[in-house]
Amino acid sequence: MARLGRLGFLSIAVVFHVIYIYSIFSIYFVSPVVHGMREHHVPGKEAPATRLVLFVGDGLRADKAFQSFPDPSPSDDSLESAKKPRPLAPFLRSRVLDHGTFGVSHTRVPTESRPGHVALIAGLYEDVSAVTTGWKLNPVNFDSVFNRSRHTWSWGSPDILPMFEKGAVPGRVDADTYDPEFEDFSKSAVELDIWVFDKVKKLFKDAKTNATLDTELRQEKNVFFLHLLGLDTTGHSFRPYSKEYLNNIKVVDKGVQEITELLEEFYGDGKTAFVFTADHGMSDWGSHGDGHPDNTRTPLIAWGSGVARPLISATGKAEGHEDRFSYDWGLNHVQRNDVAQADVAALMAYLVGIAFPVNSVGELPLAYLDATPKAKAEALLTNAKEILEMYYVKEDQKKSTELRYKPFPGLGDDEHSVEHRIALIQESIDSGNADKAIQQCHELIKLGLEGLRYLQTYDWLFLQTLVTAGYLGFIAFAITTVIDLHVLHGQTETLRTVASMIAFSSVLVALYSVLFIQQSPWIYYAYAFFPVIFWEEVFARRAALVKGKDVLFRHISSSWDVFKLVLGALAFVGLVEALVQSYFRREIFTFCYLIASFWPALYGMDFIRENVLLSVMWATSCNLMSIFTLLPANKTEDLGLIMLGGFSMLAVGIGYLIYEKSILVDSKTSNDSLSPAQDWVSRVIMGSQVGLIALAMVVTKSAIWYIQAREGLPLGTQTVGWITLVASLTVPFLHGLRPNNHYIHRLMVIFLAFAPSFIILTISYEGLFYFAFCMCLFSWVRLEHHIYQHNASQTTANPSPETSSNGSAPAPPSSQKKGEYRALTLADARIALFFLFLLQSGFFSTGNIASISSFSLDAVYRLLPVFDPFSQGALLLLKLMIPFAVMSANLGILNKRLGVAPSAVFMIVVAVGDVMTLNFFYLVRDEGSWLEIGSTISHFVIASLLGVFVAGLEFGSEVIVRGVEFGGEDGIGKKAVVGGENDVVEKVENGNVNGKAKVA
């Protein structure tokens, strides 16, 4: 390809990373949904139950459902009886003790409502990427218990019900939902559940006067689904240990009792089966999404027709409690039967006598069945046939596309074939050996699931090889481009020959031929395209690598130089690997910040004496930043910390207003000084920004008070909050009326612009982090500039052909021409590494990987009290992006101060970032604990998006710092202006500015 400029490289980087980020979903998380399977019914004349009722307490933790607590809503707080712990769900507890079977349903990540309900109702664990393609509707069509029923009536949230209605046979599922505005987080959420219970009561009341409805309700194989969202909403707002959450459990229990009694009275035949469970749990900080046990353990209680009665141990120690999770439930004498969440769909299908959903991977939990051993064996055999049907379909699909298909060893020959195994099971059933048949069925189901796993991972090695070659190719391509453009200034020739073009083209044609024959998805062609193109470009520009090596390492002339180079390289690699490990342990940032606080000392005591205040500021900011990664990432709302952060920002703004002239006076000249009128206007605008910080503090305090009081968020408070947020982001543009382009003034404008947002959208110490982070960035930019000047002065005092003896700074640019930037040196790799470190710190100082899919919504309730995942997510994203916008501005200013091309450092960052990405690519797991699986996905996605994000920061930086001016506040000379056609950079000679060089 032709020599790429800045835009060309960044465009390729964005396209490459956007495409390759999907690679883990092509490899590790391929959708399990296939079509074309036959349905399988359990043999028998009559179903165990005529109808089924499913209650789902959205966001209900297993422990909270069964533990005892003081009455959270007593009629009289002074009563001693109200303080005595008691079960909050006495009716559900009575089902456990006397009527049915109970256990813990273990969910998978992501522990969100959509995938949880899909697992419960379809028996299907969606691939993780499906969550990003459809929160409310189906990204793919799948079968479900509702679709297999004669008719399903459902009530609840508009976020859940429609996906099962639209995925079913038309007219088979009725979905009655409340309006989205009803999900108001600033009000009591129990009304959501009461609405559902009232709707069910109304349906059966109407049936008494509507003969057609009465007839429909009395049909066989009907299903009733009650989605109870109140617990989830209350838990998000008040945490699952709050009185509000515990009271919501009481409301749900009472409603379940009323509906159970209503149906038993209406039908009077004892042929109704009931299932109560939850889609996911909730962490102590009121969130879910990750694999924390509090999120993955949910209650499961089944009772009614076809359900086994409880098994009571005479010794008081029944089976199932070995993990001691349920030691404080008072149920140790009742056998606990745990299941995987997908098993619930198989249980419901069996109870109501319908075919197993054809996409279900759930295993029928026999402990819940009130049936003979023979009936259980026959039901489990049908379950196995349904799972193996998916294996057959997937295997046929794979055979039709693979050049040389290798069958799954466990089911690959006549002796181990499915037909042979089914025949043996049937023989055991017919001979009356049901226990043996059940054991054989379990083994067959296990083999069927392993076979499905084998087929899903069939192409892994091939794809992993392509992706690895792609990332390594991009790293090599980025390094080659940086050397060619920013070290050698495009002076080397491209060594592309006919032979090399034929060789690389042949490789691409061979790969595409294999992909075409195997009918691979189009994305696979992209995976194969990039490695070939990147490595061909690196090969063609190998001369740049050779010459660049000579230029970058020409200062290596002694054993001491070699030692320092090796030591620096090891430190570089060590920090990159430390950043990888920081995804697992945030405390690594604390250690790195404490070490970094001593960085200025590496340049000697003379440097420290010349820059005492700056060195102290840097060390102070590093020590402050080191604290945040020791604080809990999962935070609860703390008004005191919010206000403390606000006062810190307010103090900075007021201090700057008071001392602005003193701060900038040394750099003022006739060209950039403002007239009195202009100065007055500029100060009024900045004063408005400071005032918005104070207003943000007031409106945030007011909103928190109303929300905690459950009085609903007043429209006035909400409106003022929005006005403050929008004004804080728009008022800074008014500075264009009376420009003051000094870089300190520009950075202060940016700091104040985002401060109100960080108050309104914060729940704890994030405001203090913003203050410390901006202080750290500002001192870093100034320190890098002073170090550059220090090294340049050493270079002129001890000249060598091109660089100083330590290779850390170029010689004075006396020969620099117009429109040119200085060449990069090895020392600039340090700037890129610092940038990468600070970039990661911008996220990890207030969050972690475990919380990335479950940010607290407390802050956004102050602006959007009604549930709206996309709008609320956008506000959370704004809060996350603010530190990076500030960082982009600081790096843009640093680039201009050092005379470095705007894209140069960003290119290095992208290349180094992909070293981390490749680490995480091989750490992705789709087995093990769900916390590990979810974390590894998040690791890779964040690291991979870094390339796209850095490209965006590069463009944002150029816009933010356009027109910035530098003065002599460093005590080294005259003003330098940057931005536009008249940009200049300081030229240091003998420690003083002695000329100017124009740069584009």
Side-chain angles (χ1 to χ4, degrees):
M1 66 180 73
R3 176 172 278 112
L4 291 172
R6 167 193 173 201
L7 293 179
F9 174 83
L10 292 176
S11 299
I12 289 177
V14 170
V15 173
F16 168 73
H17 285 92
V18 167
I19 291 176
Y20 262 52
I21 197 173
Y22 195 77
S23 63
I24 62 167
F25 300 114
S26 296
I27 300 173
Y28 301 105
F29 304 102
V30 177
S31 174
V33 176
V34 290
H35 302 284
M37 288 79 70
R38 296 173 299 169
E39 63 181 46
H40 291 270
H41 291 83
V42 176
K45 295 183 180 180
E46 185 179 358
T50 303
R51 65 201 67 87
L52 174 84
V53 182
L54 171 63
F55 302 94
V56 175
D58 200 309
L60 177 59
R61 280 169 47 163
D63 55 350
K64 301 302 179 186
F66 297 114
Q67 288 172 338
S68 296
F69 299 92
D71 191 349
S73 56
S75 56
D76 186 351
D77 292 333
S78 63
L79 295 176
E80 287 297 322
S81 59
K83 302 177 182 179
K84 183 180 179 181
R86 83 279 306 283
L88 298 181
F91 177 75
L92 289 172
R93 191 177 185 84
S94 70
R95 304 301 96 179
V96 172
L97 293 171
D98 303 315
H99 296 85
T101 306
F102 95 110
V104 173
S105 171
H106 296 272
T107 73
R108 290 193 182 186
V109 291
T111 46
E112 300 288 354
S113 293
R114 176 198 162 81
H117 282 89
V118 170
L120 285 171
I121 298 168
L124 163 70
Y125 295 117
E126 281 191 302
D127 57 301
V128 180
S129 62
V131 180
T132 65
T133 57
W135 283 95
K136 298 183 180 181
L137 299 179
N138 302 328
V140 291
N141 288 321
F142 52 80
D143 197 15
S144 70
V145 170
F146 295 172
N147 187 48
R148 292 290 163 185
S149 68
R150 183 183 300 276
H151 196 86
T152 293
W153 285 266
S154 60
W155 301 268
S157 169
D159 303 317
I160 298 299
L161 269 56
M163 68 181 180
F164 295 103
E165 178 186 20
K166 296 185 183 301
V169 174
R172 181 161 293 178
V173 179
D174 287 344
D176 192 357
T177 65
Y178 36 74
D179 294 332
E181 292 74 17
F182 200 39
E183 299 177 30
D184 191 335
F185 287 87
S186 66
K187 299 179 181 179
S188 175
V190 297
E191 298 300 327
L192 301 175
D193 298 337
I194 294 173
W195 183 95
V196 172
F197 294 134
D198 289 345
K199 284 289 185 177
V200 179
K201 295 173 185 176
K202 183 177 185 303
L203 176 75
F204 285 92
K205 180 180 179 181
D206 292 344
K208 295 180 179 180
T209 57
N210 186 328
T212 302
L213 177 59
D214 183 77
T215 301
E216 290 180 355
L217 290 174
R218 296 183 185 277
Q219 295 289 325
E220 296 180 345
K221 299 179 174 57
N222 282 339
V223 175
F224 304 93
F225 172 42
L226 287 72
H227 176 237
L228 308 171
L229 185 62
L231 285 161
D232 185 72
T233 305
T234 303
H236 284 315
S237 301
F238 292 96
R239 312 293 182 262
Y241 49 77
S242 64
K243 288 186 176 181
E244 290 80 4
Y245 186 88
L246 299 178
N247 181 61
N248 208 144
I249 295 176
K250 289 180 57 179
V251 172
V252 167
D253 181 71
K254 181 180 178 182
V256 171
Q257 179 179 4
E258 292 175 348
I259 298 304
T260 301
E261 293 172 351
L262 172 66
L263 267 66
E264 289 177 341
E265 178 185 354
F266 181 85
Y267 290 108
D269 57 3
K271 297 292 290 182
T272 306
F274 300 88
V275 175
F276 179 89
T277 187
D279 54 344
H280 55 74
M282 183 166 290
S283 67
D284 282 341
W285 47 90
S287 62
H288 54 81
D290 58 49
H292 192 281
D294 287 340
N295 293 332
T296 61
R297 293 187 291 212
T298 61
L300 175 61
I301 307 171
W303 70 95
S305 183
V307 179
R309 299 182 70 83
L311 293 178
I312 308 297
S313 172
T315 65
K317 293 183 179 180
E319 295 181 3
H321 300 274
E322 291 79 12
D323 61 359
R324 294 192 54 76
F325 170 59
S326 51
Y327 77 97
D328 60 345
W329 297 357
L331 298 173
N332 289 338
H333 61 295
V334 183
Q335 181 170 312
R336 188 182 116 192
N337 303 281
D338 288 10
V339 303
Q341 191 173 50
D343 299 344
V344 177
L347 172 64
M348 293 191 296
Y350 168 82
L351 290 175
V352 79
I354 60 179
F356 291 102
V358 296
N359 300 116
S360 173
V361 295
E363 185 173 348
L364 185 62
L366 300 183
Y368 285 75
L369 309 186
D370 181 17
T372 65
K374 180 180 180 181
K376 290 182 178 181
E378 290 176 340
L380 196 59
L381 178 58
T382 304
N383 187 189
K385 290 178 180 178
E386 175 265 321
I387 291 175
L388 289 165
E389 184 71 21
M390 283 190 287
Y391 172 78
Y392 285 139
V393 172
K394 286 193 174 186
E395 186 179 49
D396 288 342
Q397 291 178 352
K398 186 60 65 177
K399 284 181 179 178
S400 66
T401 59
E402 289 296 318
L403 292 175
R404 295 182 60 187
Y405 173 73
K406 295 180 180 180
F408 174 58
L411 301 171
D413 53 42
D414 293 338
E415 184 180 352
H416 300 91
S417 67
V418 174
E419 293 77 9
H420 178 69
R421 292 177 182 275
I422 290 178
L424 292 177
I425 295 172
Q426 192 62 55
E427 181 181 336
S428 298
I429 294 175
D430 295 340
S431 64
N433 195 346
D435 290 339
K436 181 180 179 181
I438 289 173
Q439 181 182 354
Q440 291 172 320
C441 285
H442 284 307
E443 292 175 355
L444 185 55
I445 289 175
K446 181 180 179 182
L447 277 173
L449 295 175
E450 288 178 355
L452 290 172
R453 169 76 177 171
Y454 172 81
L455 294 172
Q456 284 191 282
T457 62
Y458 194 88
D459 297 324
W460 273 24
L461 181 60
F462 174 68
L463 290 174
Q464 285 174 331
T465 303
L466 280 182
V467 172
T468 301
Y471 276 115
L472 292 176
F474 179 80
I475 294 171
F477 168 70
I479 293 173
T480 305
T481 303
V482 169
I483 292 175
D484 183 44
L485 292 180
H486 302 301
V487 176
L488 305 176
H489 298 297
Q491 296 175 0
T492 56
E493 295 182 0
T494 301
L495 303 178
R496 184 175 282 113
T497 64
V498 174
S500 66
M501 293 176 65
I502 292 175
F504 284 101
S505 298
S506 299
V507 172
L508 187 61
V509 169
L511 288 173
Y512 276 16
S513 299
V514 173
L515 295 176
F516 179 78
I517 293 172
Q518 295 185 168
Q519 301 177 24
S520 301
W522 69 267
I523 194 74
Y524 288 19
Y525 292 86
Y527 298 153
F529 175 79
F530 282 107
V532 176
I533 294 300
F534 288 150
W535 284 110
E536 191 279 333
E537 184 69 14
V538 172
F539 180 79
R541 299 198 183 279
R542 59 193 181 277
L545 293 175
V546 174
K547 188 174 182 180
K549 175 182 68 67
D550 296 336
V551 172
L552 292 173
F553 298 106
R554 67 174 57 184
H555 64 281
I556 305 296
S557 58
S558 66
S559 298
W560 176 245
D561 291 336
V562 173
F563 175 76
K564 288 194 298 181
L565 178 64
V566 172
L567 190 64
L570 290 176
F572 190 98
V573 173
L575 184 54
V576 172
E577 289 304 312
L579 288 176
V580 172
Q581 294 304 314
S582 69
Y583 282 64
F584 304 95
R585 296 187 63 85
R586 297 167 63 238
E587 296 82 3
I588 289 175
F589 283 98
T590 297
F591 179 72
C592 292
Y593 269 119
L594 291 177
I595 293 178
S597 64
F598 297 98
W599 172 40
L602 296 178
Y603 299 94
M605 291 307 300
D606 288 341
F607 178 82
I608 296 291
R609 281 191 290 269
E610 293 172 1
N611 301 278
V612 174
L613 292 179
L614 180 56
S615 298
V616 170
M617 182 180 182
W618 167 255
T620 302
S621 63
C622 284
N623 280 277
L624 288 175
M625 288 298 297
S626 72
I627 297 173
F628 295 106
T629 42
L630 296 177
L631 300 175
N634 299 306
K635 302 166 285 292
T636 57
E637 194 169 61
D638 190 323
L639 180 59
L641 288 177
I642 296 173
M643 292 297 105
L644 182 59
F647 280 120
S648 300
M649 302 177 211
L650 188 63
V652 172
I654 293 174
Y656 182 80
L657 278 176
I658 296 173
Y659 298 106
E660 179 181 13
K661 290 184 178 296
S662 300
I663 294 172
L664 304 183
V665 66
D666 290 337
S667 61
K668 290 294 181 182
T669 69
S670 59
N671 291 331
D672 62 355
S673 60
L674 299 175
S675 66
Q678 290 176 317
D679 182 66
W680 180 83
V681 172
S682 176
R683 291 174 64 80
V684 167
I685 297 173
M686 183 157 284
S688 300
Q689 289 187 267
V690 176
L692 287 171
I693 296 177
L695 182 59
M697 295 170 63
V698 173
V699 74
T700 299
K701 184 175 182 179
S702 174
I704 291 174
W705 187 88
Y706 281 110
I707 292 174
Q708 289 183 345
R710 304 307 281 175
E711 296 185 3
L713 184 65
L715 180 61
T717 301
Q718 183 181 3
T719 302
V720 173
W722 274 109
I723 291 174
T724 304
L725 180 69
V726 174
S728 67
L729 300 176
T730 54
V731 167
F733 291 99
L734 296 177
H735 283 284
L737 300 174
R738 297 293 186 268
N740 182 346
N741 290 327
H742 191 278
Y743 84 100
I744 294 180
H745 185 88
R746 180 71 60 86
L747 289 177
M748 182 56 62
V749 169
I750 295 170
F751 171 80
L752 297 177
F754 294 122
S757 302
F758 239 91
I759 296 172
I760 296 174
L761 299 177
T762 192
I763 63 172
S764 185
Y765 57 78
E766 300 100 303
L768 292 170
F769 154 76
Y770 179 67
F771 166 77
F773 188 64
C774 291
M775 177 182 175
C776 186
L777 289 175
F778 180 69
S779 57
W780 172 59
V781 169
R782 289 173 58 85
L783 194 56
E784 285 283 8
H785 183 226
H786 281 246
I787 290 171
Y788 174 75
Q789 293 171 339
H790 174 75
N791 290 332
S793 65
Q794 286 187 336
T795 301
T796 55
N798 302 286
S800 63
E802 293 292 340
T803 63
S804 67
S805 61
N806 61 12
S808 59
S814 57
S815 61
Q816 188 169 309
K817 299 178 181 179
K818 291 184 178 181
E820 290 184 352
Y821 297 101
R822 72 164 174 84
L824 292 180
T825 67
L826 287 179
D828 294 313
R830 182 197 65 243
I831 297 175
L833 192 59
F834 261 96
F835 177 77
L836 186 62
F837 173 79
L838 292 167
L839 188 68
Q840 304 286 340
S841 174
F843 172 73
F844 284 102
S845 292
T846 58
N848 65 2
I849 292 301
S851 66
I852 193 168
S853 61
S854 52
F855 292 108
S856 173
L857 295 176
D858 285 5
V860 297
Y861 297 158
R862 304 164 197 164
L863 298 175
L864 291 172
V866 177
F867 181 66
D868 185 343
F870 295 104
S871 298
Q872 292 174 334
L875 287 174
L876 290 175
L877 187 62
L878 170 64
K879 176 184 171 184
L880 281 177
M881 291 297 104
I882 288 173
F884 306 126
V886 176
M887 186 172 184
S888 175
N890 280 272
L891 184 63
I893 287 173
L894 178 60
N895 279 339
K896 291 181 178 294
R897 301 214 76 184
L898 302 183
V900 175
S903 59
V905 175
F906 287 100
M907 287 183 178
I908 301 174
V909 172
V910 174
V912 176
D914 275 347
V915 175
M916 298 173 56
T917 304
L918 202 51
N919 271 272
F920 292 129
F921 176 73
Y922 279 99
L923 291 174
V924 171
R925 300 183 60 180
D926 66 336
E927 291 184 312
S929 76
W930 305 124
L931 177 59
E932 292 172 336
I933 294 172
S935 295
T936 58
I937 294 170
S938 299
H939 295 166
F940 175 79
V941 170
I942 292 176
S944 188
L945 280 176
L946 188 64
V948 179
F949 187 56
V950 168
L953 288 183
E954 207 264 294
F955 288 111
S957 171
E958 183 179 10
V959 174
I960 294 173
V961 304
R962 181 175 294 136
V964 165
E965 301 172 357
F966 304 119
E969 81 287 352
D970 297 322
I972 59 166
K974 299 179 181 179
K975 179 188 70 173
V977 183
V978 189
E981 293 298 323
N982 297 316
D983 295 348
V984 295
V985 297
E986 293 166 340
K987 174 189 172 187
V988 182
E989 195 169 306
N990 295 321
N992 297 303
V993 173
N994 190 24
K996 296 179 181 179
K998 185 176 178 180
V999 295

